[in-house]
Amino acid sequence: MAALNTILYLVVFPGILFLFVYSTFVEWFDRKVFARLQNRMGPTHTGKSGLLQPIADFVKLMAKEDIVPDKADKKMFSALPVVGLAIVITAGLLLPVWNIDLASPGPISFPGDLIVILYLLSLPTLVLFLAGWSSTNAFSIIGGTRVLTMLFGYEVPLFLAVLSPAVLAGSWRMAEIAAFYRAHPLLLLVNLIGFVVALISVQAKLERTPFDIPHAETEIVGGTFTEYSGKKLAFFRLMADIEMVVAAGLLATVFMGGFGGGILSAFVQFIAKTLLVVFLLTVLRAVTGRIRVDQVVSFAWKWLAPLAVLQLLIVILIKGFVL
Amino acid sequence: MNDEQKIEKLKTFAPPEAIAHPAPRRIFVTVEPSGLVALTARMKAELDTWFLSTISGVDKGEFFELLYHYGDTSGSVHVRTKIPRSDPRLPSICGVIPGAVLYEREIQEMFGITVENIPDPRPLLTSDDWPAGNFPLRKDWKFDRPAEVIPGGKK
Amino acid sequence: MKFNIPIGPQHPALKEPISIRLSVEGEVIRDADLRLGYNHRGVEKLAEEKSYIQNIYLCERICGICSHSHSTCFVQGAEKLLEIEPPRRGVYIRYLVSELERVHSHLLWLGVAGHEAGFDTFFMYTWRDREIVMDLLEMISGNRVHYAINTLGGVRRDIDGPLKQKIFDGLAVLRERSEYYLKIGSSEPTFVARLAGVGRLTKQQAMDLCATGPTAKASGVALDVRKDDPHDFYDEVEFDVVTSDLCDVLGRTVVRIKEVLESYKICEQILRKLPDGPIAVKSPRRAKPGEVVSRYEAPRGENIHYIIANGTEKPERLKVRAPTLGNYAATIEMLRHGFIADVPLIFAAIDPCICCAERSVEMVDARSGEERTYRFSDLRRMANERARTLPLQRNVAWPL
């Protein structure tokens, strides 16, 4: 039974199948909201209200010709999309998607899984950098260096912002953090600054406007993805979608009290809370223009990092004097 | 500055018979190519004609007629110069008006006029493998299409 | 590390082919060069083989955005050569279309600037509102892009009462929207962060490099053909020449939005003062030998046509200088020492119209990679030959 559970966990929920279907739904939601905010219709044709459009796009890309540039490092060039996809799916498995029995957590929840998921979410950035670098295209290389430059900006604020709720809860384990905040919901308000910082950092990590600098099409064509086509591009796009789901799930776990109750109740909460985070990210995307890479780094260190430190200070003070 | 004032000022450094005033706000000055740069500098200093709209060239058979169009806040002044077809050389005015370089490059490739002392002599519009000696805006220019070559195909 | 980055001839930021060659160090541009000629069509040579009336339509096709500016500029000059005086009503309608075209061109530019800055929402909003002015132009002239409203001696279509009211209504909506864009364009933090201080061109540089249009106006150079050389219309309406001292892309954005507001003012004055009478007079076919210089303030800057008549029904020479060509020298200066991220913005900020700037037909043979020059007659002959030699298809189903 335990083996079956593990297999179901890996393959169905919240494993590959669920992540695939839900990430395409999230992409549709993102596109639709973005379009409505711009007075457009968004996807309408494939499926009801265009729900199947992201899947259709994925299938179309899978069927397209797959070209590897002559001068590229062929093995690395081909392996990176799969590696990237595997990394984000692994990260997805770590999300505490239901009320895990804290006494016997099983293999997926352990002390310190918060650090592991943050680490796993950093890896796709490195994959994108290597993808840009191994393409040996001038545009890709510039895109790759931009990916790394941005990493130095947003990564530290993100870590600080996500760790402060953990400090308040006194645990490095996501299931425990979520349980702590479900027990003390008012304490969620303490972390508001951290939530905003984390939201903006996640936007940067997902490379969405105003931080879509590494693949800014009007400047450097496709950036890191310039030379990618066909299946490999499809995997990268799926990777980005799943990364968005995982990042939204992480924020929902840490800042919104996670997903309590039975499996069904937890499922509904997961959908509602991640969609709320995605909605905020989409609004942020719609109301801003793209900024420059030097502006990202200076913005991250002048605003995000100090705010994250302030959040940490507030948390420590509250923990020391109030609780 | 109205037209009369401009003509008065022009008369101080150009002969009166070289100045024409065919329409309101249009003044034409004729000058020898050798005196072009000096006149341009003088006009820029005294008439404030720093804005060169363009340089137009016409093939008139025996000679090319070039017209430098200057715009200002009260109309326009046009400097006319003629150079013989047998010896098409023209001094560059880029030293006085740096923005003239694009127009001089265009004149060079379209009429086959050599602009002396031009800072950037490359062709402006024609392709990299443009055959030498073809100047499209000369009236006698005709183009014969070369035979088509299909690489790897039938000869 | 030094890279050479080619922007174009094909690039997502470019709507028309031009090649910008950049040499960059990291993200900073060290040197820039422009290569033109990908869109050179030989309009000047072709115009020598066409009659005056045909040339109106040829000039209209020099540009796809400011089509009216070239045809008006040509007609202004040709009317002087043919010694005809268009009736006032015709002139008023002609410049009404001019100002509406300026509105549509500037709104289009605003959208493109938003897109180049990665601000797609702004792009969608401005282009939605641009539809209003496009519809007005279609109601007036019957066409959305090539209005074909000019003719020698006046215009081809009249405006009636209900249409006048529709234009007033449309202008009211547009004015409100434009004021909103002025607010967004100068206050949205990410947008302003991208535009401010980018592509600096000082007043002295603008004067030296003969910049024109909004590029020069944003550097504080108040040069506007409508004021300086009002032809026979612009001294009858009141408007201000908009300038800005910001000397950067933000300045150019502000200048364009304010210029649009001035255009609404001009349009309303035209509609209020619209005189009665005929809209066109008959024009002779031949012009006496002579020459004329015609200047016109196109949305992108000064447009100048120089026409020589030789007593026949065709001009001896037509020289066209579109505003974009005048701004290239300034563009190279602006690109230097900027960031790669700013290239599309700086380039877009002159509102480049490459097909305007390059006017003889040059084509690349895709199979041999050779560049060839074809004349229009050759193309027509080739097309006819192709039509003649195509195998005859029978029983072809009508696609609808």
Side-chain angles (χ1 to χ4, degrees):
Chain A
M1 193 61 197
L4 186 67
N5 261 348
T6 310
I7 287 172
L8 280 180
Y9 193 89
L10 286 178
V11 178
V12 181
F13 181 74
I16 298 166
L17 215 57
F18 171 73
L19 278 177
F20 177 73
V21 174
Y22 186 56
S23 68
T24 55
F25 173 74
V26 163
E27 189 193 329
W28 171 84
F29 179 78
D30 175 42
R31 281 164 70 169
K32 200 77 179 174
V33 172
F34 189 53
R36 293 310 296 154
L37 288 172
Q38 294 183 340
N39 278 299
R40 291 188 290 123
M41 292 305 292
T44 48
H45 282 286
T46 324
K48 192 168 165 46
S49 315
L51 264 173
L52 296 178
Q53 189 62 49
I55 297 181
D57 288 352
F58 181 77
V59 171
K60 183 204 75 174
L61 273 180
M62 291 297 279
K64 287 263 179 189
E65 189 186 1
D66 193 354
I67 300 166
V68 180
D70 277 344
K71 285 191 179 166
D73 183 342
K74 291 194 180 52
K75 280 179 195 152
M76 190 143 90
F77 188 83
S78 313
L80 284 169
V82 184
V83 173
L85 195 59
I87 289 170
V88 288
I89 291 177
T90 316
L93 292 176
L94 290 174
L95 287 177
V97 286
W98 57 69
N99 195 12
I100 292 162
D101 181 9
L102 290 175
S104 58
I108 49 110
S109 181
F110 46 87
D113 57 0
L114 183 63
I115 306 293
V116 175
I117 198 167
L118 281 173
Y119 169 70
L120 285 176
L121 280 179
S122 296
L123 283 181
T125 316
L126 201 63
V127 167
L128 288 183
F129 163 72
L130 287 175
W133 198 261
S134 64
S135 301
T136 61
N137 178 319
F139 296 118
S140 304
I141 292 174
I142 292 181
T145 51
R146 284 181 176 191
V147 168
L148 270 197
T149 318
M150 266 175 45
L151 179 80
F152 294 119
Y154 64 74
E155 203 71 2
V156 172
L158 178 66
F159 274 46
L160 286 176
V162 172
L163 291 186
S164 46
V167 169
L168 191 57
S171 165
W172 299 116
R173 187 165 149 196
M174 279 186 287
E176 274 180 17
I177 299 170
F180 174 81
Y181 284 107
R182 275 203 298 281
H184 311 89
L186 274 181
L187 282 179
L188 285 172
L189 296 176
V190 174
N191 297 325
L192 265 181
I193 302 175
F195 181 59
V196 172
V197 170
L199 206 62
I200 295 174
S201 307
V202 162
Q203 184 83 334
K205 182 179 273 304
L206 297 172
E207 293 172 10
R208 288 146 59 86
T209 326
F211 306 108
D212 56 343
I213 302 157
H215 51 87
E217 58 153 25
T218 51
E219 297 159 19
I220 47 171
V221 193
T224 31
F225 303 131
T226 307
E227 293 290 351
Y228 277 92
S229 56
K231 294 184 207 61
K232 302 188 178 87
L233 185 61
F235 281 156
F236 266 136
R237 290 185 48 152
L238 188 62
M239 181 190 101
D241 287 346
I242 295 181
E243 199 183 353
M244 183 150 76
V245 172
V246 176
L250 172 69
L251 292 196
T253 312
V254 178
F255 290 101
M256 295 181 180
F259 326 105
I263 286 198
L264 194 65
S265 152
F267 182 74
V268 173
Q269 281 187 39
F270 181 78
I271 304 283
K273 286 178 179 175
T274 47
L275 282 188
L276 177 65
V277 174
V278 171
F279 178 74
L280 292 175
L281 293 176
T282 309
V283 172
L284 191 58
R285 175 154 88 109
V287 299
T288 51
R290 186 193 306 124
I291 54 178
R292 271 199 318 263
V293 68
D294 56 314
Q295 288 168 338
V296 176
V297 178
S298 72
F299 170 72
W301 287 103
K302 275 186 194 152
W303 294 97
L304 291 184
L307 281 175
V309 172
L310 179 70
Q311 170 69 58
L312 206 59
L313 195 69
I314 292 172
V315 164
I316 290 169
L317 288 178
I318 286 179
K319 202 170 165 64
F321 293 102
V322 181
L323 291 182
Chain B
M1 213 186 313
N2 62 25
D3 289 354
E4 281 69 37
Q5 288 167 325
K6 276 198 240 175
I7 292 175
E8 280 308 309
K9 282 211 171 177
L10 270 174
K11 278 183 179 160
T12 58
F13 52 89
E17 63 274 12
I19 302 168
H21 187 210
R25 299 186 298 274
R26 299 278 183 276
I27 298 168
F28 287 77
V29 189
T30 313
V31 69
E32 287 295 313
S34 53
L36 181 66
V37 180
L39 181 85
T40 309
R42 203 67 200 270
M43 271 175 54
K44 189 179 178 186
E46 295 189 20
L47 289 175
D48 219 16
T49 56
W50 49 266
F51 179 67
L52 176 70
S53 288
T54 189
I55 307 173
S56 63
V58 195
D59 180 6
K60 294 238 167 163
E62 289 298 303
F63 57 90
F64 296 119
E65 186 182 282
L66 293 154
L67 209 49
Y68 292 70
H69 305 271
Y70 294 97
D72 57 34
T73 51
S74 60
S76 52
V77 183
H78 309 267
V79 177
R80 192 194 304 273
T81 186
K82 290 173 182 170
I83 52 172
R85 198 191 186 95
S86 50
D87 181 25
R89 281 185 298 111
L90 188 71
S92 168
I93 59 163
C94 288
V96 185
I97 299 187
V101 62
L102 286 175
Y103 309 123
E104 288 185 346
R105 281 168 68 181
E106 193 181 348
I107 288 286
Q108 262 193 348
E109 67 183 336
M110 289 297 167
F111 290 96
I113 295 171
T114 313
V115 179
E116 290 165 342
N117 301 327
I118 186 169
D120 182 1
R122 293 173 303 164
L124 180 68
L125 292 166
T126 48
S127 59
D128 291 338
D129 57 352
W130 185 260
N134 276 299
F135 304 115
L137 283 178
R138 287 190 178 185
K139 289 279 183 195
D140 57 358
W141 184 75
K142 292 276 180 287
F143 183 71
D144 294 315
R145 206 181 147 199
E148 193 173 13
V149 183
I150 303 168
K154 286 178 188 161
K155 289 278 148 49
Chain C
M1 191 156 69
K2 240 183 178 166
F3 280 108
N4 282 314
I5 304 242
I7 306 274
Q10 306 295 328
H11 188 276
L14 302 171
K15 308 306 174 243
E16 291 165 276
I18 187 171
S19 174
I20 311 173
R21 284 141 198 206
L22 302 172
S23 111
V24 298
E25 263 179 42
E27 288 269 329
V28 183
I29 301 163
R30 289 289 171 225
D31 203 3
D33 188 21
L34 286 179
R35 177 81 180 84
L36 315 181
Y38 297 96
N39 210 352
H40 196 61
R41 293 162 296 165
V43 168
E44 290 180 10
K45 190 85 179 169
L46 184 58
E48 294 168 8
E49 294 167 16
K50 302 233 173 241
S51 69
Y52 287 101
I53 194 90
Q54 286 172 322
N55 270 329
I56 299 175
Y57 300 97
L58 177 66
C59 286
E60 194 146 38
R61 273 142 190 85
I62 289 176
C63 183
I65 305 169
C66 50
S67 58
H68 189 71
S69 69
H70 285 282
S71 79
T72 308
C73 196
F74 177 76
V75 165
Q76 271 179 190
E79 279 168 354
K80 288 266 187 300
L81 280 176
L82 296 161
E83 294 170 336
I84 47 175
E85 178 80 28
R88 296 313 295 167
R89 192 178 174 86
V91 171
Y92 269 61
I93 294 175
R94 181 182 291 167
Y95 291 101
L96 173 68
V97 175
S98 293
E99 291 307 315
L100 287 175
E101 186 192 62
R102 192 182 316 277
V103 171
H104 121 73
S105 175
H106 282 350
L107 286 179
L108 179 137
W109 180 84
L110 267 181
V112 172
H115 176 65
E116 307 288 12
F119 193 10
D120 279 348
T121 311
F122 194 60
F123 166 68
M124 297 290 172
Y125 271 65
T126 47
W127 280 45
R128 181 193 64 187
D129 295 330
R130 178 174 161 260
E131 282 304 303
I132 299 171
V133 66
M134 297 290 277
D135 287 346
L136 291 180
L137 282 166
E138 192 180 358
M139 280 188 264
I140 295 171
S141 68
N143 296 306
R144 275 165 64 89
V145 177
H146 293 304
Y147 317 113
I149 196 162
N150 278 324
T151 188
L152 294 173
V155 292
R156 298 173 58 223
R157 286 169 75 123
D158 205 353
I159 292 179
D160 58 3
L163 179 55
K164 215 160 146 179
Q165 191 51 45
K166 276 184 188 160
I167 301 173
F168 272 124
D169 294 347
L171 288 175
V173 179
L174 282 168
R175 186 191 293 272
E176 188 195 318
R177 303 299 302 174
S178 307
E179 275 160 6
Y180 174 64
Y181 296 140
L182 186 58
K183 202 175 111 232
I184 294 277
S186 52
S187 67
E188 210 291 311
T190 51
F191 197 46
V192 172
R194 271 311 290 282
L195 302 185
V198 167
R200 283 194 66 81
L201 186 74
T202 60
K203 186 171 180 179
Q204 190 56 47
Q205 281 171 331
M207 289 169 75
D208 282 347
L209 297 171
C210 300
T212 177
T215 314
K217 286 174 194 165
S219 295
V221 181
L223 210 59
D224 190 314
V225 179
R226 293 178 293 174
K227 270 271 187 267
D228 308 340
D229 195 354
H231 195 63
D232 52 0
F233 168 73
Y234 279 108
D235 43 1
E236 294 171 28
V237 287
E238 277 181 26
F239 66 100
D240 296 324
V241 177
V242 183
T243 57
S244 158
D245 293 327
L246 290 169
C247 304
D248 54 11
V249 179
L250 184 62
R252 282 157 222 153
T253 312
V254 171
V255 162
R256 284 198 173 91
I257 306 180
K258 288 192 172 162
E259 210 166 66
V260 164
L261 295 172
E262 292 296 319
S263 286
Y264 300 144
K265 230 159 73 182
I266 300 177
C267 289
E268 281 168 1
Q269 289 178 45
I270 293 177
L271 288 172
R272 285 210 191 86
K273 289 187 188 169
L274 195 64
D276 293 327
I279 52 166
V281 293
K282 201 166 163 18
S283 105
R285 286 172 62 200
R286 290 192 172 87
K288 287 181 192 153
E291 60 181 355
V292 71
V293 177
S294 172
R295 297 167 75 207
Y296 176 90
E297 181 77 11
R300 292 162 179 74
E302 188 211 33
N303 190 357
I304 180 166
H305 285 211
Y306 170 63
I307 315 167
I308 302 181
N310 54 5
T312 65
E313 55 204 41
K314 295 171 186 168
E316 168 87 6
R317 171 95 168 91
L318 169 66
K319 164 77 190 173
V320 177
R321 201 279 272 142
T324 306
L325 187 65
N327 277 332
Y328 279 150
T331 312
I332 297 174
E333 192 54 43
M334 286 188 266
L335 284 173
R336 275 191 195 129
H337 312 299
F339 291 95
I340 303 176
D342 297 332
V343 174
L345 268 173
I346 295 172
F347 193 63
I350 64 165
D351 200 356
C353 181
I354 290 143
C355 59
C356 277
E358 303 177 7
R359 286 133 283 92
S360 348
V361 181
E362 194 165 328
M363 289 187 177
V364 180
D365 193 318
R367 284 166 301 187
S368 62
E370 282 174 37
E371 289 189 33
R372 303 249 173 83
T373 300
Y374 293 118
R375 287 162 50 135
F376 185 71
S377 55
D378 291 330
L379 289 178
R380 197 163 49 195
R381 188 174 45 68
M382 282 158 65
N384 287 344
E385 207 157 281
R386 175 95 179 115
R388 211 172 43 241
T389 54
L390 265 183
L392 196 61
Q393 287 185 315
R394 290 185 192 282
N395 305 325
V396 181
W398 186 246
L400 293 176

